[in-house]
Amino acid sequence: MNPNNLEQDKTAKHRLISKVLSPALWLFVRSQVEQVSHLEVQIASSDRQILSGSIPRLSISGDRIVYKGLHFAKISLMGEGMQTNLHQVMRGQPLQLLEPMVVSGEAILQETDLNASLKSDLLSSALTELLSKLASSNSAVRGQIDWKQIAIAPGSLLLQGNLVNSSHTTPITLRCGLQLSSGRKLLLTQPQLQISNSWEELENYVMDLGSHVNLKELTLEPGQIVCRGSITVMP
């Protein structure tokens, strides 16, 4: 091959990544979150793979991210096997994911993140549903719960809020250990429920996160939760 042609091919690839694919990927990732203070997207792919719309590996890192009302201090992710509509992107259309993609990495949730996330329907509703299952035999746990605070200690969580019904508001506290049961399941250990000044011992509970989740590590440290694993992102 003529060296000039080889150099032109390399230049064309560089332009394809820097002028088309990288900005399109950045916009795609940015469009999935509500807020982010810093976001980086890097691509690893060969000429042929890029032209076919295949990205075998990409890395995503970001700080202070809000996704569906959930706050994250920091994420560091690696995506594998991404199939895109590159030909449509080159004609000015938004980038789309064409096939399921496995994303693995690390996410850090600090206490401040979780407490900010309590304002989202996603987390507050999930916590209320969880409590209703944990305390299904307790008739006092009825009505709406206004969650106020989450505290993280080594290996355990403390959740506080108010139980609101038609007649009055009652302080409520849930204390439990939290650990991995399997890649897709979390185990809540020795849960205790306090309503007013009365404590009740509850049964251990297994929470299934779904077949798209595969966690490798879940660590509760003072003031933060560190998660490592993977999730399958659907088109």
Side-chain angles (χ1 to χ4, degrees):
M1 176 181 289
N2 188 309
N4 292 333
N5 291 338
L6 181 60
E7 188 63 31
Q8 288 174 358
D9 288 343
K10 290 181 179 179
T11 302
K13 175 192 172 185
H14 176 74
R15 288 176 178 172
L16 183 63
I17 293 177
S18 63
K19 301 297 185 182
V20 179
L21 194 52
S22 289
L25 266 173
W26 191 93
L27 287 172
F28 174 78
V29 176
R30 180 63 182 87
S31 69
Q32 305 303 305
V33 300
E34 297 154 40
Q35 181 179 323
V36 59
S37 66
H38 176 71
L39 178 64
E40 288 188 5
V41 179
Q42 295 183 341
I43 301 167
S45 183
S46 69
D47 300 17
R48 183 176 298 178
Q49 289 165 330
I50 289 176
L51 292 174
S52 68
S54 175
I55 303 173
R57 180 172 294 184
L58 73 152
S59 61
I60 303 168
S61 60
D63 300 323
R64 314 310 311 174
I65 294 168
V66 181
Y67 174 71
K68 293 186 177 180
L70 303 179
H71 293 241
F72 296 86
K74 184 178 182 63
I75 64 166
S76 179
L77 304 174
M78 182 72 70
E80 296 182 348
M82 185 177 191
Q83 299 293 328
T84 70
N85 60 331
L86 179 61
H87 294 293
Q88 285 77 21
V89 171
M90 293 176 67
R91 292 197 292 267
Q93 297 184 23
L95 184 140
Q96 295 179 348
L97 185 64
L98 301 181
E99 296 182 8
M101 178 180 66
V102 176
V103 177
S104 59
E106 176 183 271
I108 298 176
L109 297 90
Q110 297 177 344
E111 264 186 16
T112 51
D113 299 320
L114 286 174
N115 284 300
S117 300
L118 285 176
K119 299 176 183 178
S120 72
D121 290 337
L122 183 62
L123 182 58
S124 60
S125 298
L127 291 176
T128 299
E129 181 180 355
L130 174 62
L131 182 59
S132 68
K133 293 178 179 178
L134 280 170
S136 58
S137 60
N138 190 332
S139 60
V141 185
R142 299 289 185 272
Q144 180 180 352
I145 299 177
D146 181 17
W147 295 102
K148 293 296 187 181
Q149 186 175 6
I150 299 177
I152 308 171
S156 66
L157 293 173
L158 183 71
L159 297 88
Q160 297 175 311
N162 293 318
L163 179 62
V164 182
N165 57 36
S166 57
S167 57
H168 60 280
T169 298
T170 307
I172 189 170
T173 300
L174 175 64
R175 179 189 295 137
C176 66
L178 182 64
Q179 62 189 53
L180 279 181
S181 175
S182 69
R184 59 180 283 181
K185 295 180 180 179
L186 301 179
L187 175 62
L188 278 67
T189 61
Q190 299 180 322
Q192 297 175 304
L193 177 65
Q194 182 189 46
I195 300 180
S196 297
N197 294 317
S198 176
W199 283 95
E200 176 187 358
E201 302 286 338
L202 305 175
E203 296 291 330
N204 288 358
Y205 182 78
V206 176
M207 184 166 51
D208 194 333
L209 301 177
S211 59
H212 62 293
V213 175
N214 184 21
L215 291 178
K216 300 296 185 182
E217 181 182 343
L218 179 72
T219 305
L220 276 69
E221 304 172 349
Q224 69 177 19
I225 299 175
V226 180
C227 302
R228 296 183 179 92
S230 64
I231 184 171
T232 301
V233 179
M234 304 305 293

